[in-house]
Amino acid sequence: MYRTYLLMSTVFATLLALMVVVFCFFVDPYNLYPSLNFYENEQEADLFYHLRLHKPYAMEALKPDHLIVGSSRSARLPPDSLAANDEQSYNAALPGVTLREIRLLVEHAQAIKPLKSVLIGIDYYMFRQGYSSISAHFEAARLRKIQPTIKQNLAHYFQRFEDNWKSLLSVDALINAWETLYVKVESQRNYKSDGTWEANLDGPKRGTWLFSMLVKQKYQDFTQKTDQLDMAELNALLKFCDDHDIQAWVLISPLHASVMNSVNMAGQWPQYINWQRQVIQVSSTYSNSARVFALENSPNLVLEAIDQDSRFFLDGVHYTSQAGRQIMACLAGSDCNSTINLATLNNTNSTPYLDAVTGLMENYRHSNARDFARVQKWLDLSAQAGR
């Protein structure tokens, strides 16, 4: 009788596990098996906290010729304008990404299929000393290597096994699959198959509230964190692109003038300008394969009034989908309208450009006095006109 009970228990547990695997496989809450397309979700799962799991697999399925990498500020850059009719492109931007993670993603894409170009959206925070390592949720072993060692291959295969195990037979996967299928909670973000995503920020979350949050955040960041800049990872990334004949486009992600002034009020504007100058100097070492683009010298862009209908910025840091399309059209050379002054920077023209950006930052208090007063109020600096 004991054997019968043990056998029945084993069969029941096996069937239960198989049912969980089948359920998670068909629902696919992390969107790891989209090519199978067994089940069409009525609502997409919020992949924000699972993008470091999802995107490497999406890159393998698509095999892009052109890649966009960067932080969440690059998430609204549609990659299709980089590719010709018979080419594939993908946006692999990740929230809070580090430069080392970017380099590993580029190598992953190169190992899948040789890349023709990569657009690298960079932010100041990526260059702070101590921020060059990978985050806790980024599994380097998940990504492919160009010439892996035996140890790296073993780690890669084990990580893939663990990914499949956790996505098909774990409590988290079961809960996420159930919520995707039955819990009608609207996702806070919209995800597209090209890797881009955007937040749903209709109504009161648009406009001054978001700007006030980011102005305060950047002020605190630049007040509390004044580390030296580390260019080693950018140099390694550009060298990798140069060694593998990948055209590298470095895009210095722009800030709205309200956020620029918060950096200035934190006393770190010279450091912010020096960061851009160092990026240009490092990139010039690889002038045959790397180009630096920037657009903070665009008055219609950075001096735009803060309101709910802002065309370019959502919050002074992240730009809108419309702005992302405009930037990519301009980079592709098809359309640069009066809003965007896209500058290609080098050691020769960087100083006039950076002087113009400083001029726009300083002019903000006069050209948009109402919004400048808002910035001072948000930072409780109403008696301070800026440093």
Side-chain angles (χ1 to χ4, degrees):
M1 186 173 179
Y2 175 77
R3 291 182 178 178
T4 303
Y5 174 78
L6 183 61
L7 178 61
M8 291 180 63
S9 299
T10 303
V11 170
F12 176 77
T14 303
L15 288 175
L16 183 61
L18 183 61
M19 289 173 63
V20 172
V21 169
V22 171
F23 179 68
C24 293
F25 180 74
F26 275 80
V27 177
D28 191 14
Y30 308 129
N31 204 13
L32 298 184
Y33 318 105
S35 59
L36 299 177
N37 199 27
F38 285 118
Y39 174 76
E40 188 71 25
N41 288 338
E42 292 183 4
Q43 64 175 21
E44 290 289 337
D46 193 338
L47 292 173
F48 184 77
Y49 299 105
H50 309 291
L51 288 175
R52 284 170 169 78
L53 169 63
H54 162 73
K55 289 206 167 186
Y57 287 94
M59 292 163 64
E60 290 191 2
L62 186 64
K63 297 178 176 58
D65 301 278
H66 306 272
L67 193 67
I68 295 177
V69 286
S71 68
S72 57
R73 299 176 69 188
S74 300
R76 294 167 184 83
L77 298 175
D80 57 302
S81 56
L82 297 176
N85 294 333
D86 58 342
E87 295 176 338
Q88 300 292 334
S89 58
Y90 188 72
N91 186 319
L94 294 172
V97 74
T98 69
L99 279 172
R100 184 171 302 177
E101 290 174 345
I102 287 177
R103 178 164 57 85
L104 292 174
L105 284 168
V106 172
E107 183 177 359
H108 176 65
Q110 179 71 11
I112 296 168
K113 181 182 180 181
L115 288 168
K116 295 182 180 179
S117 71
V118 57
L119 174 62
I120 308 161
I122 60 171
D123 299 88
Y124 178 87
Y125 79 84
M126 297 176 180
F127 294 83
R128 286 195 169 111
Q129 284 187 348
Y131 201 84
S132 60
S133 61
I134 61 178
S135 66
H137 301 289
F138 188 93
E139 297 291 347
R142 180 176 293 135
L143 308 180
R144 294 189 181 186
K145 296 287 186 182
I146 299 294
Q147 294 179 327
T149 63
I150 295 176
K151 182 179 179 180
Q152 288 173 334
N153 268 329
L154 291 174
H156 175 72
Y157 293 133
F158 177 80
Q159 183 62 51
R160 291 304 178 95
F161 172 79
E162 185 178 354
D163 288 344
N164 283 279
W165 174 271
K166 289 183 177 180
S167 65
L168 296 175
L169 190 60
S170 69
V171 174
D172 287 340
L174 180 60
I175 292 174
N176 290 326
W178 182 269
E179 290 178 345
T180 300
L181 191 59
Y182 293 111
V183 181
K184 302 300 180 182
V185 178
E186 184 178 355
S187 173
Q188 297 180 357
R189 302 166 187 88
N190 295 323
Y191 297 92
K192 298 181 180 179
S193 59
D194 63 1
T196 58
W197 86 85
E198 60 181 334
N200 296 320
L201 296 173
D202 294 330
K205 288 189 176 181
R206 282 291 305 271
T208 56
W209 182 82
L210 278 174
F211 271 84
S212 69
M213 295 295 291
L214 266 296
V215 163
K216 293 175 185 177
Q217 177 184 316
K218 291 303 178 183
Y219 178 80
Q220 292 174 355
D221 285 348
F222 277 86
T223 301
Q224 299 172 2
K225 302 174 182 177
T226 57
D227 310 283
Q228 295 297 314
L229 300 175
D230 185 355
M231 294 287 159
E233 283 296 333
L234 177 64
N235 187 74
L237 173 58
L238 295 180
K239 184 179 186 304
F240 179 87
C241 292
D242 188 64
D243 290 343
H244 293 85
D245 297 321
I246 304 170
Q247 180 66 55
W249 292 0
V250 179
L251 176 64
I252 299 176
S253 300
L255 295 176
H256 185 265
S258 61
V259 182
M260 290 183 184
N261 274 273
S262 73
V263 175
N264 186 47
M265 292 174 184
Q268 295 299 316
W269 184 255
Q271 176 84 335
Y272 179 71
I273 290 297
N274 182 52
W275 160 66
Q276 297 194 37
R277 196 183 306 277
Q278 289 190 46
V279 167
I280 296 165
Q281 291 172 350
V282 171
S283 302
S284 66
T285 307
Y286 306 96
S287 57
N288 292 331
S289 59
R291 299 171 67 186
V292 179
F293 297 94
L295 24 124
E296 279 183 335
N297 66 332
S298 306
N300 292 332
L301 187 162
V302 301
L303 300 179
E304 184 181 33
I306 298 174
D307 56 45
Q308 187 170 339
D309 298 321
S310 298
R311 292 176 300 167
F312 201 91
F313 283 102
L314 288 170
D315 52 19
V317 173
H318 301 88
Y319 22 83
T320 64
S321 295
Q322 176 187 355
R325 290 191 294 270
Q326 292 176 355
I327 292 173
M328 292 308 299
C330 195
L331 282 169
S334 60
D335 180 28
C336 276
N337 58 35
S338 59
T339 302
I340 298 177
N341 296 331
L342 185 67
T344 305
L345 299 179
N346 52 50
N347 288 330
T348 302
N349 65 4
S350 61
T351 296
Y353 167 83
L354 294 173
D355 288 345
V357 173
T358 299
L360 287 177
M361 182 275 295
E362 294 173 343
N363 186 52
Y364 185 63
R365 71 186 68 188
H366 307 296
S367 62
N368 203 329
R370 183 195 65 169
D371 286 346
F372 182 77
R374 285 177 172 175
V375 173
Q376 291 179 306
K377 182 179 179 180
W378 293 333
L379 299 178
D380 196 23
L381 299 171
S382 56
Q384 178 176 324
R387 300 178 191 176

